[in-house]
Amino acid sequence: MTDDAAAADTFDVVVIGGGPPGEVAAQYAIQGSDRTAAIVESELLGGECSFWACIPSKAMLRPIEMLDAAKAVPGAAGAVTGALDVPAVLGRRDDFTHRHDDTSQVEWAEGTGIAVVRGHGRLAGERAVEVTASDGSTRTLHARHAVVVATGTSATVPDVPGLRAALPWTSRDVTNLHEVPRRVLVLGGGVVACEAITWLHGLGAEELTVVQRAPSLLAGLEPIAGELVEARFRAAGVTVCTEAGLASVERADARDTGTGRVHGGPVTATLADGRVVEVDEVLVAAGRTPRAADLGLDRVGVAPNDHGYLDTDDHLSVIGGGGWLYAVGDICGRALLTHMGKYQGRVAGDVIAARAEGRPTNGREHRDLADAVAVPSVVFSQPQVASVGRTEAAARAAGIDVEVLEHDLAGVAGASLLRDDYAGRAKLVVDRATDTLVGATFVGPEVAELVHAATIAVVGRVPLDLLWHAVPSFPTLSEIWLRLLEERR
C-alpha cells in the first residue's frame, strides 16, 4: 500500500453501522475539530429507523390517529365523510423514506466531514476495520483513536415448525407494505406488534389475530398499559390471544426466487391449544437479535454476552475492548430505542473527543456517562403509552421503598376537551426515601408529549414538593401532574 492510500484509509474514528446511533457518534467525535471519521454501512445510511422502523411506521400512524380524533369530537365528526385515503397515506410514508434513497443522508454525512464507505465492516485487529464491498473487493480502514460498533439488531423469527418456510413478514415488511392484507396474524405483543396492529386496522385489515406468550400485551410496562391497549383492540374487533403460542404454520408455494419473495397462498396457523387460524400474512414481532455475527470480534479478544450483546461501561467503551472499542445503539443491549441509541452516540462521541484531546472523562457534568435507567419510550398505539424509568414492580425488585400515585386521565379538563370518549390512566412511582420520581406511565390519546416532563423529573431527581410548584397550564393534559400530586395530600 502506498503512503497516499494508507492516508486515505486512515481516520480518527471509524464507525461500523450507519444508523442514527452510529451517525451521531461520528458527528460528536469530530465536530468542532480537524478530526476525521468514516462510517461503514452495507445497506442504507440512516439505518433501520429511517427506512424500516420509526419513520415509516409513524408516518402511517399519524393519519389514523388524526382521523380517529376527529371522529371523537362533535362538529368535527360530521365533517369526516370519507374513509382513509390509503394510497395517500402510503405515498406520504414513501416521501419520508425518500423511497429508500439515502442520498440526503450521505450529503449530510459528507457535509459534516464524515466519509461514507459502502460495504460490510468487520474488525481486523486493533483499531482496524476490514470492509468488503458488494463486488467482493476489500480495503482496511485504520482508526487513530476509536472504532465504534453500531450494527443494531434484526427481527427474530422463532423456531416454529413451518414458520420460516412460510416467509413471514417482519417489521421491515409491515412498515413498507404496498397492499393491506385482509387477514393478518401477529406473533408477539410488544411495541412493534401493538403499533403494527394499530396501523393495519386503521388501513383496512379486516381480521387481526394477536398471539402472545405473556399474560398481557406490553408485558414489560405497567399493567395499565397492556390492559387499556388490549381493551381498545378488542373493541375494534381484534382477536387477542394471550398466554398462547404457535404450534405450526403451513403455507403453499412460498419461496424466495432470488430476486424477490413469493409469499404464496393463505397461511394456516395452528395455535398451541389446537385452535386453527387462516390468514393472508403472518407478522413476526417477537423480539430482536443483535447483529454481532461476522464482526471479527474474536480478532480483538471480545465476545458478546450470553444474550448476544456487547457489554459496555457507562462511557460506552466495550468491556475488554482495550479502551479504543465502543458500542452504541441496540448492539450494546441497554435500551433498544432510537433516541436512546442517539443519546449513547452523543455520550460515546463526547468521550472519544475528550480522550483524543487529553481532557478528563469523569462524570455526568461532562456529559460522558450514560444513564441506563431513565429510559423514556412511547408506544404509538391506540391509546398511546408513554413511560420513563422503573415500573412499580421493577422498583420494588430493586429494593426501593415506593409510593404509588395513580389517577384517571379522563378526569382532567384538558383530556375531556380533546375528545368525548377519552379514556386513560396515569401512574407515578416515587422513592419514599428521597421523595423523588423513579418512574412514570401515561396511557391515553396524545400522552406522548407528557413523558418528557417526567423524564426531566427522573433525571433531575426533582423532589415532589418542588414539583408542586411546577404549575400545569389549564386546560391541558399536563394538569394530570397536579391531580397526581394531590393524591398524596
Side-chain angles (χ1 to χ4, degrees), residues 77-102:
V80 180
T81 58
L84 201 69
D85 185 341
V86 174
V89 172
L90 300 185
R92 183 171 184 264
R93 172 206 62 190
D94 293 342
D95 288 342
F96 272 100
T97 61
H98 302 285
R99 290 165 176 78
H100 291 187
D101 181 344
D102 66 357

Side-chain angles (χ1 to χ4, degrees), residues 90-421:
L90 300 185
R92 183 171 184 264
R93 172 206 62 190
D94 293 342
D95 288 342
F96 272 100
T97 61
H98 302 285
R99 290 165 176 78
H100 291 187
D101 181 344
D102 66 357
T103 299
S104 62
Q105 299 280 113
V106 173
E107 289 175 347
W108 167 83
E110 293 177 343
T112 308
I114 302 168
V116 178
V117 180
R118 303 287 190 177
H120 175 78
R122 63 179 65 78
L123 296 164
E126 184 173 337
R127 296 186 179 88
V129 176
E130 179 185 82
V131 182
T132 302
S134 58
D135 62 4
S137 62
T138 63
R139 60 188 285 200
T140 300
L141 308 183
H142 298 273
R144 297 185 186 93
H145 298 294
V147 173
V148 182
V149 178
T151 49
T153 56
S154 57
T156 301
V157 179
D159 289 324
V160 174
L163 181 58
R164 287 191 175 91
L167 298 180
W169 278 7
T170 66
S171 55
R172 284 195 170 197
D173 300 294
V174 75
T175 56
N176 284 272
L177 59 81
H178 296 286
E179 294 182 5
V180 182
R182 189 174 71 84
R183 305 168 300 173
V184 183
L185 183 147
V186 179
L187 180 60
V191 176
V192 173
C194 290
E195 290 189 350
I197 292 161
T198 300
W199 79 67
L200 285 168
H201 178 266
L203 292 175
E206 297 174 14
E207 296 179 21
L208 289 163
T209 302
V210 189
V211 177
Q212 159 76 326
R213 286 196 178 277
S216 67
L217 300 178
L218 300 172
L221 302 179
E222 291 284 4
I224 56 173
E227 290 166 6
L228 290 175
V229 171
E230 181 175 335
R232 179 65 184 268
F233 282 171
R234 290 188 184 278
V238 177
T239 301
V240 180
C241 306
T242 54
E243 297 185 281
L246 276 184
S248 65
V249 173
E250 295 181 16
R251 184 180 214 168
D253 197 32
R255 63 191 188 280
D256 193 330
T257 65
T259 58
R261 298 192 301 172
V262 177
H263 282 220
V267 181
T268 301
T270 303
L271 276 59
D273 63 5
R275 282 178 288 177
V276 177
V277 181
E278 184 177 275
V279 294
D280 301 304
E281 295 292 349
V282 172
L283 166 62
V284 176
R288 308 286 297 179
T289 298
R291 290 177 176 159
D294 196 20
L295 275 180
L297 295 170
D298 56 325
R299 298 181 185 180
V300 296
V302 171
N305 63 26
D306 292 343
H307 301 287
Y309 297 101
L310 296 181
D311 289 324
T312 62
D313 63 19
D314 287 342
H315 292 306
L316 283 310
S317 292
V318 174
I319 304 299
W324 57 268
L325 184 63
Y326 298 77
V328 298
D330 285 9
I331 192 64
C332 69
R334 287 175 167 242
L336 276 61
L337 295 160
T338 294
H339 50 274
M340 292 307 294
K342 293 171 73 172
Y343 162 64
Q344 293 157 15
R346 293 193 293 272
V347 171
D350 278 344
V351 169
I352 293 166
R355 289 175 175 172
E357 295 167 8
R359 293 186 282 109
T361 54
N362 56 4
R364 188 182 305 278
E365 66 273 22
H366 296 287
R367 305 187 305 178
D368 63 12
L369 286 178
D371 192 324
V373 176
V375 178
S377 70
V378 177
V379 186
F380 290 88
S381 53
Q382 289 182 329
Q384 292 179 351
V385 180
S387 62
V388 65
R390 302 181 193 269
T391 61
E392 177 186 355
R396 293 190 189 280
I400 301 173
D401 179 19
V402 302
E403 176 185 6
V404 174
L405 308 174
E406 290 193 62
H407 200 276
D408 182 3
L409 252 171
V412 303
S416 60
L417 286 167
L418 280 178
R419 51 190 301 151
D420 282 4
D421 61 351

